[in-house]
Amino acid sequence: MTTATVVLAAGFGTRMKSQLPKVLHPLAGRPLVDWVVTTSESIGDQRPVVVVGHGKELVQNELGDRVSYAEQAELLGTGHAVMQAEPFLRGKADQVVVLYSDMPLLQEETLRSLLALYRQQEAQGDLAIAMLTITRDDPQGFGRVIRNDAGQIQAIVEEVDCTPAQREIRELNPGIYCFNGEWLWENLPKLHKSAKGEFYLTDMVEIATSQNWRVVGMQAPPEEVYGINDRTHLAAAGKVLRQRINEQHMRAGVTIVDPASTYIDATVRIGQDTTIYPGCHLQGNTAIGIDCEIGPNCQIVECVIGDGCRVHHSVLEYARMDRGSEIGPFGHLRKGAHLGEDVHMGNFGEVKNSYLGPGTKMGHFSYVGDATVGRNVNLSAGVITCNYDGENKNHTELADDVFLGSDTLLVAPVSLGVGARTGAGSVVTRDVPDGVLVYGVPARAPRIQNESD
Ligand code: UD1
Ligand code: CA
């Protein structure tokens, strides 16, 4: 028995009021459609087929070759959307699970239960569809599930087409179905256009029951089939997803002091015994080691942080910290910053596109850009690399054991040799050899050394 999945993602998403296609709006670090695709991947035996239409290039760019794409050139409804997947799937899968792309909270286990129901019922023959249903007081625009006196599912009626009596029904169609593949492709052409000019996938239920094929339902947890139609829904779903993500980390040994104020993307990894204090935003493919202290109040984007690091009140983007290094309060690591082991960065420091070697200290008010800094270098308060001359970014090189006095300005390109030192307030415009002390503006060595230049 093989299972294929189809994700419908061609719609406009008008109520998002956005230039961006609805399915690409980010949700806990992944685009909306990615959540459903990821769930589909876990239950299907082949790549999911995503039906694209509105904004298709953008969706394809996002999902790449994880999925196959069926194009729906004209948006003629959910039934028409599934027809586009036929060339990919006819004769290739026993069951076809159809999902709408705007249901990010749906969990794998729920789909597995639906598949299990399908398989168990199929043994009794003439099974066309196993579908999820939900029962809840707020019908939120859902189609209604119509049952006969024997309690069997007969039809789904869209809210706009309901009689007043049908409108009162609280068993609703979340739009998640497992079809008998052969039956589906055979009967899909029988759909008729609705009054709205659309082919409703939901009409397949009535087509089945009118042929005496069976449709069975399974109650899903209502909170999982939450459809995103506007940005208030996006925020509400984000809250649920974040809670799930935080709980996963906590069960895996991460301390999260206040989950309600901790925002961790689905893509982030965190090691055991790390503590996340309130007000942290951990984003993208960030990886954090074990025994770290993160927060309070940090934003960390696409960073790799080694074991035993500490990050307080700081912003880190596309940067790397090796084991035992620390930053904050109020530090900023920008793209390409790399702190070696046991580096200490204190208040109001910024590092960009630079490596700071093991044991280096940069305690207060410094900027280091486009530099390579050796081991055990001391950057006193206010040290600045003047890396930009108005046209080019220039490199600064500080060898091991360099000691820079407070307020040293390093006018790049410039390099200082092993153990070189500067006095407070130096403006260094020329290279400094190993072990030499320079000071002043521009910085010079004592006379005796100048003669040897
Ligand atoms: C649909 C169901 C309704 C169900 C509800 C649950 C139908 C006819 N109705 O209504 O019974 O209660 O979902 O949310 O199926 N799409 C396409 N191509 C199209 C039209 C839609 O790919 O031509 C995609 C959309 O991108 C979306 C999904 O199908 O992901 C559902 O479409 P939507 O217009 O939101 O359907 P609803 O009116 O909500
Ligand atoms: Ca919808």
Side-chain angles (χ1 to χ4, degrees), residues 153-303:
I153 295 176
Q154 288 300 295
I156 297 169
V157 182
E158 291 304 290
E159 187 164 61
V160 288
D161 302 322
C162 279
T163 63
Q166 287 170 335
R167 199 172 281 266
E168 294 309 310
I169 294 172
R170 287 296 173 266
E171 189 179 11
L172 310 168
N173 169 36
I176 293 135
Y177 326 86
C178 176
F179 288 97
N180 174 328
E182 214 181 309
W183 180 87
L184 174 69
W185 306 123
E186 196 59 39
N187 288 280
L188 209 44
K190 296 180 184 157
L191 282 178
H192 291 291
K193 266 194 187 170
S194 71
K196 249 175 88 185
E198 289 189 5
F199 296 95
Y200 287 162
L201 184 61
T202 43
D203 287 346
M204 294 307 290
V205 173
E206 211 171 348
I207 290 176
T209 53
S210 68
Q211 301 169 346
N212 291 320
W213 281 67
R214 287 180 307 128
V215 177
V216 295
M218 187 192 103
Q219 286 275 334
E223 67 279 4
E224 280 188 31
V225 287
Y226 184 74
I228 308 293
N229 292 315
D230 64 29
R231 300 192 202 216
T232 66
H233 301 149
L234 201 62
K239 195 170 173 189
V240 175
L241 289 171
R242 281 196 301 273
Q243 189 183 333
R244 283 188 198 161
I245 292 167
N246 288 343
E247 283 171 7
Q248 269 169 18
H249 286 298
M250 290 187 279
R251 289 204 190 90
V254 176
T255 296
I256 297 181
V257 174
D258 180 26
S261 70
T262 303
Y263 303 78
I264 304 177
D265 283 357
T267 38
V268 171
R269 285 167 294 145
I270 308 175
Q272 207 173 304
D273 288 323
T274 284
T275 299
I276 313 290
Y277 290 94
C280 286
H281 302 253
L282 311 180
Q283 302 173 324
N285 288 307
T286 289
I288 297 174
I290 62 173
D291 285 325
C292 294
E293 269 181 36
I294 308 292
N297 303 324
C298 291
Q299 183 180 22
I300 301 179
V301 187
E302 297 280 339
C303 289

Side-chain angles (χ1 to χ4, degrees), residues 10 41 67 70 86 89 99 116 124 137 139-140 180 206 212 258 286 293 363 373 390 407:
E41 283 168 339
V67 301
E86 180 181 341
L89 298 178
L99 303 149
Q124 299 163 36
D137 291 336
Q140 204 205 338
N180 174 328
E206 211 171 348
N212 291 320
D258 180 26
T286 289
E293 269 181 36
V373 178
D407 251 338

Side-chain angles (χ1 to χ4, degrees), residues 42-241:
S42 62
I43 61 148
D45 297 309
Q46 49 188 288
R47 287 191 303 178
V49 177
V50 177
V51 180
V52 290
H54 176 66
K56 72 172 168 19
E57 287 87 6
L58 294 170
V59 177
Q60 286 174 330
N61 275 346
E62 182 61 47
L63 293 174
D65 57 14
R66 275 170 78 186
V67 301
S68 307
Y69 298 97
E71 193 177 337
Q72 190 185 16
E74 232 187 321
L75 300 186
L76 296 177
T78 48
H80 181 255
V82 174
M83 290 175 198
Q84 314 312 310
E86 180 181 341
F88 295 84
L89 298 178
R90 189 162 194 166
K92 300 209 178 97
D94 302 309
Q95 296 118 48
V96 177
V97 174
V98 177
L99 303 149
Y100 299 162
S101 56
D102 55 5
M103 300 248 162
L105 302 185
L106 184 67
Q107 308 234 53
E108 182 186 331
E109 299 76 65
T110 305
L111 283 181
R112 290 205 183 283
S113 313
L114 179 65
L115 283 172
L117 171 73
Y118 181 94
R119 284 170 190 160
Q120 172 226 328
Q121 288 284 323
E122 204 208 16
Q124 299 163 36
D126 295 341
L127 180 66
I129 308 171
M131 60 177 284
L132 294 182
T133 75
I134 50 168
T135 304
R136 72 169 184 208
D137 291 336
D138 170 17
Q140 204 205 338
F142 282 107
R144 307 297 199 269
V145 176
I146 313 295
R147 290 183 184 262
N148 65 14
D149 294 341
Q152 293 155 329
I153 295 176
Q154 288 300 295
I156 297 169
V157 182
E158 291 304 290
E159 187 164 61
V160 288
D161 302 322
C162 279
T163 63
Q166 287 170 335
R167 199 172 281 266
E168 294 309 310
I169 294 172
R170 287 296 173 266
E171 189 179 11
L172 310 168
N173 169 36
I176 293 135
Y177 326 86
C178 176
F179 288 97
N180 174 328
E182 214 181 309
W183 180 87
L184 174 69
W185 306 123
E186 196 59 39
N187 288 280
L188 209 44
K190 296 180 184 157
L191 282 178
H192 291 291
K193 266 194 187 170
S194 71
K196 249 175 88 185
E198 289 189 5
F199 296 95
Y200 287 162
L201 184 61
T202 43
D203 287 346
M204 294 307 290
V205 173
E206 211 171 348
I207 290 176
T209 53
S210 68
Q211 301 169 346
N212 291 320
W213 281 67
R214 287 180 307 128
V215 177
V216 295
M218 187 192 103
Q219 286 275 334
E223 67 279 4
E224 280 188 31
V225 287
Y226 184 74
I228 308 293
N229 292 315
D230 64 29
R231 300 192 202 216
T232 66
H233 301 149
L234 201 62
K239 195 170 173 189
V240 175
L241 289 171

